Amino acid sequence: MISTSDTDMGRPNIYSSEINSNINRQLLMMQRRLRYMVSEGRNDHYWSFSSLMLRKSKSLRMLALRNVRPNWYKDMSIKKLMETLSSLNGMCYRPRQAYEIQRVGIPKDDGSKRFINAPKLEVRLYLWMMNFFLGLFLETKLNPNQYGHRHGRGAADAWRKLLKEQSQYRHIYEFDFKGFHDEIRRDFLVKALRNLGVSEE
């Protein structure tokens, strides 16, 4: 299936309306294998296989693109897409120790600015894939009541649980820590991840 807007932009037909069964099957098999390694306590095998999939799996790259930039086909040229995927390949095969991430100021209603990190698309795709492996590895080690930054969970799931159980509680508080992520001590975080069995790489 190709839309009029794609034809007007001179793009070739690079997607169809058919189900991506081969990609889904590959991803499902990869997840099952990774979860099995976690259940058996084979941490070294887990991270070795994750590193291999990070380098080799095109299905994982497509999943990352679908999650990070779901509407890429609407406003991204084929040339830009290929450049992004080429840069991503370089990062997956030769991970660097550090990446440049720009801080962008978003205007707030009161006239001040809220600063957010704005990495390039290829860096965001790479980080999504790394988080994918971290999420699978840590999912049985995290508190079941944690919904933020969890694989397959989100704010809507947290609210559903809250509404279901609200009658049990007299008070429900919602709060936000100002600058929370900026205050996390990196040395403490690295030590905690090492203790959980996360690979040095």
Side-chain angles (χ1 to χ4, degrees):
M1 169 183 247
I2 191 163
S3 68
T4 309
S5 58
D6 292 318
T7 310
D8 293 344
M9 294 179 74
R11 292 177 175 164
N13 183 5
I14 58 168
Y15 64 95
S16 70
S17 59
E18 296 177 12
I19 296 173
N20 297 309
S21 55
N22 287 338
I23 290 177
N24 292 336
R25 184 167 52 251
Q26 290 171 8
L27 291 168
L28 185 61
M29 288 171 55
M30 179 174 60
Q31 285 188 58
R32 283 179 180 163
R33 188 168 176 183
L34 288 166
R35 284 194 170 105
Y36 173 76
M37 290 176 190
V38 170
S39 68
E40 294 292 307
R42 297 165 61 185
N43 294 351
D44 291 342
H45 288 87
Y46 181 95
W47 292 111
S48 177
F49 183 66
S50 296
S51 182
L52 178 67
M53 291 297 96
L54 188 69
R55 293 193 306 272
K56 301 284 188 181
S57 177
K58 302 302 185 263
S59 298
L60 185 62
R61 284 163 171 67
M62 293 301 100
L63 181 63
L65 183 63
R66 173 66 182 83
N67 279 274
V68 173
R69 189 80 152 68
N71 296 319
W72 62 269
Y73 58 90
K74 292 183 179 178
D75 57 6
M76 184 185 288
S77 68
I78 295 298
K79 180 182 178 184
K80 177 62 178 171
L81 174 66
M82 298 311 291
E83 288 172 354
T84 299
L85 292 176
S86 178
S87 297
L88 178 61
N89 280 339
M91 294 168 66
C92 291
Y93 278 95
R94 294 172 297 281
R96 291 177 288 194
Q97 292 296 316
Y99 296 93
E100 181 181 345
I101 297 177
Q102 297 177 338
R103 285 180 67 78
V104 178
I106 307 294
K108 295 168 74 173
D109 292 339
D110 61 4
S112 62
K113 288 186 177 180
R114 175 176 178 250
F115 286 90
I116 62 169
N117 295 325
K120 291 182 178 178
L121 179 57
E122 54 265 32
V123 176
R124 288 164 53 208
L125 293 170
Y126 181 77
L127 292 174
W128 189 94
M129 291 191 293
M130 290 300 297
N131 190 58
F132 173 83
F133 293 120
L134 275 171
L136 284 176
F137 184 76
L138 297 173
E139 68 181 355
T140 59
K141 300 173 176 63
L142 297 175
N143 188 305
N145 292 316
Q146 178 181 330
Y147 282 81
H149 303 285
R150 290 294 295 273
H151 181 72
R153 293 191 184 186
D157 300 301
W159 275 110
R160 272 192 286 272
K161 181 176 182 183
L162 193 64
L163 292 171
K164 183 179 177 182
E165 300 179 359
Q166 66 177 335
S167 60
Q168 301 176 30
Y169 304 100
R170 186 173 179 183
H171 302 288
I172 297 173
Y173 299 96
E174 180 185 5
F175 52 90
D176 187 17
F177 292 111
K178 183 178 180 182
F180 172 75
H181 289 93
D182 295 335
E183 299 297 323
I184 296 174
R185 286 176 40 212
R186 300 299 189 264
D187 58 337
F188 173 80
L189 182 60
V190 169
K191 184 178 179 181
L193 290 172
R194 281 181 183 144
N195 289 340
L196 285 169
V198 174
S199 161
E200 284 286 333
E201 182 184 355

